[in-house]
Amino acid sequence: MKKIFLGLLALGTLLMSSCYEDKGNYSYNFDSINNVDTISFTPEAYSSFNGWTIDYIKSGEADTITERITVNPTFSSPEQAGEMDYYWYRRYTWNGTNRSDTLNTPGYMDVLIPNNGDVTYNVILEIRDRITDISYFTNLTVRTREWYTNSLFVLHGNSATNMRLGNVEILGEEPTITLDAFERVNTDPTLHEPFRNARVLSFRVYASKRSSELIVFKTDATAEVYNPFGLKRLQDTYYVMPPTSGTADLFVPRSIINLSPSGSQRFRAVTSNDGRFYISSDFFRFYEPGADTENANHLTTDQYNVHVGTMTSEYYVFWDEQNGRFIHNSLGGNNFPWSEDSAREDAVLSSPVLDSHVNSDILKALKGMQPVYAYVNNFNYYQSANEARFIFYDPATQRNLICSLVQSDGKDGKSAKDDESDASSPFEADTISMPNIHLEPGTPIVYQGAYALDFFFYADGSTVYRYNIQNGDQEIIYEAPAGYDISILKFKQNEDYLYWGNLYRYLNIGMNRGNEGAVAEIKLTAAGDVDTEYEQQLYEGFDNIVDLQFCNELQYNVE
């Protein structure tokens, strides 16, 4: 059984502003009270929403071992440390029986840890001063868990059919880098190298079941869903993807639109190399949009070619490269199964794919331009998610501009209906100039809606920049080591979710040098500046980086 020393916050010690209890009315000289200044544990604990947590990784062996947890407090009067009593109030389940007990020890607690089983000890630790009878309390959770819980997955390889799913997991003060995460934990002899032709990763939390899912899209048009913690396969491609009529109809995924892995936004879409897109709701189960619509204006897959898109609070929105126009698909109007066990045939895809009928002058201004990146402008949630922004590149003038699509009620007071018989548009379009920047298709770009200012991040060669939409200012926030070119930018999570602490402030940076790959991690402040108090990380030893995905539990806090 391997102890887990999660140095997520450099938590050797932590200044405590914690809970004390005074058990009587006394006349104290407060200068003489022996305060608990800091507290730490051995094995090292990390801070979580429920207090402190110590994890043990399941080894797969059948035996049960005894582990000792030691508390290491520091006191304002260390010479009186011997006057402290330690009480551990525990609740846990063992062999199906709920148990509770109290231990009184000189600063330690022994726990039984099954190497291949689940156990969680919920503990309240009381440190009581025998002189004053004042007590300090803190919460501690001791549990077993699977490999790769709350860790970064790294898709890497030097050919499209030679991919491996690597992983970076913080175990102790140093990271554990695993080049082939699946082979390390696989116990199914029928599964071998299932990620060798993987291309796109994504993640979601199934909040009602408090579980997490990792989806892997592959270049052979298949897809699978895994529990990222232990990498047990949950769903195969027959569940995830619609059936196809033949090899000419294969849907080879290119990118995914997944604004809210927490589930606060149910919907997501995935685009293909040949310009189609599929949609889903709640589960990682995708469907062809408009498959059951009776709308005569519905655009079939041969009538558009999309690679760049985003979603607002009401629509998927894409740039149609085939016809030089915007198209959209309403998030409403479909009937998706509410249960994972429901048959695929139970879904009714009634919402059509429609021409957005954006102002013709705007479309003329975009003629000849190439779409680079799209996002919904929702910075710091001060605005509702009703503005889609598309970054375009003009190869003739080598300039960029943004086309802004803001949801509206249509033209001349008419409502934009899905039948669109009046050719009204659900969007009011405008353009935003982009001075001092050069972004071509393929440029690594990432937008993060949790920051208070209107900017995005992009990479040029070995440098990551922060670009301010309002004034065109840009600032260097990271320089890669010599010889590396940056290939991908991804935040640990792309939203400021209630239970995820500051995950949105950690930016993972994939980079390549020849056949070598590496991943850097930096932390940003709430204002989007580099947090100079955080020690930047560099994880090396990979092949070329293709995609990154951080996977975490529902209630997970880095700080």
Side-chain angles (χ1 to χ4, degrees), residues 145-220:
R145 71 155 172 89
E146 300 283 358
W147 281 100
Y148 316 132
T149 303
N150 303 319
S151 65
L152 177 69
F153 287 96
V154 181
L155 185 61
H156 66 115
N158 291 325
S159 73
T161 58
N162 190 30
M163 293 289 130
R164 289 183 291 174
L165 187 67
N167 184 268
V168 178
E169 188 171 20
I170 306 300
L171 303 177
E173 296 181 357
E174 298 295 329
T176 292
I177 297 175
T178 305
L179 298 182
D180 194 329
F182 183 77
E183 288 301 318
R184 181 176 194 172
V185 299
N186 180 39
T187 58
D188 187 346
T190 66
L191 294 176
H192 181 62
E193 297 182 348
F195 301 97
R196 65 183 180 275
N197 54 358
R199 175 60 185 86
V200 177
L201 305 176
S202 192
F203 163 79
R204 81 177 186 104
V205 167
Y206 192 175
S208 62
K209 290 187 176 181
R210 302 181 68 85
S211 62
S212 301
E213 294 181 352
L214 171 71
I215 190 168
V216 181
F217 295 99
K218 305 181 181 183
T219 55
D220 64 357

Side-chain angles (χ1 to χ4, degrees), residues 501-537:
N502 289 339
L503 292 183
Y504 69 94
R505 293 190 187 176
Y506 291 83
L507 177 61
N508 293 125
I509 304 166
M511 62 191 79
N512 299 316
R513 180 174 60 191
N515 289 331
E516 301 174 9
V519 180
E521 180 174 287
I522 66 174
K523 183 183 177 185
L524 304 177
T525 66
D529 300 317
V530 176
D531 188 338
T532 57
E533 295 183 0
Y534 178 75
E535 182 180 355
Q536 297 182 0
Q537 304 295 311

Side-chain angles (χ1 to χ4, degrees), residues 82-149:
E83 300 297 332
M84 295 294 182
D85 285 329
Y86 298 84
Y87 297 90
W88 309 76
Y89 306 101
R90 312 191 305 180
R91 290 184 296 105
Y92 58 99
T93 300
W94 192 262
N95 292 331
T97 302
N98 294 326
R99 300 184 179 184
S100 61
D101 56 33
T102 301
L103 305 179
N104 176 208
T105 66
Y108 65 85
M109 170 184 64
D110 289 336
V111 292
L112 290 175
I113 300 294
N115 277 319
N116 197 33
D118 296 313
V119 68
T120 298
Y121 294 87
N122 296 302
V123 182
I124 297 176
L125 170 61
E126 177 188 3
I127 304 175
R128 185 187 303 170
D129 189 332
R130 290 194 295 268
I131 297 176
T132 63
D133 212 26
I134 292 177
S135 291
Y136 162 85
F137 294 87
T138 192
N139 291 323
L140 172 66
T141 300
V142 180
R143 65 175 186 170
T144 56
R145 71 155 172 89
E146 300 283 358
W147 281 100
Y148 316 132
T149 303

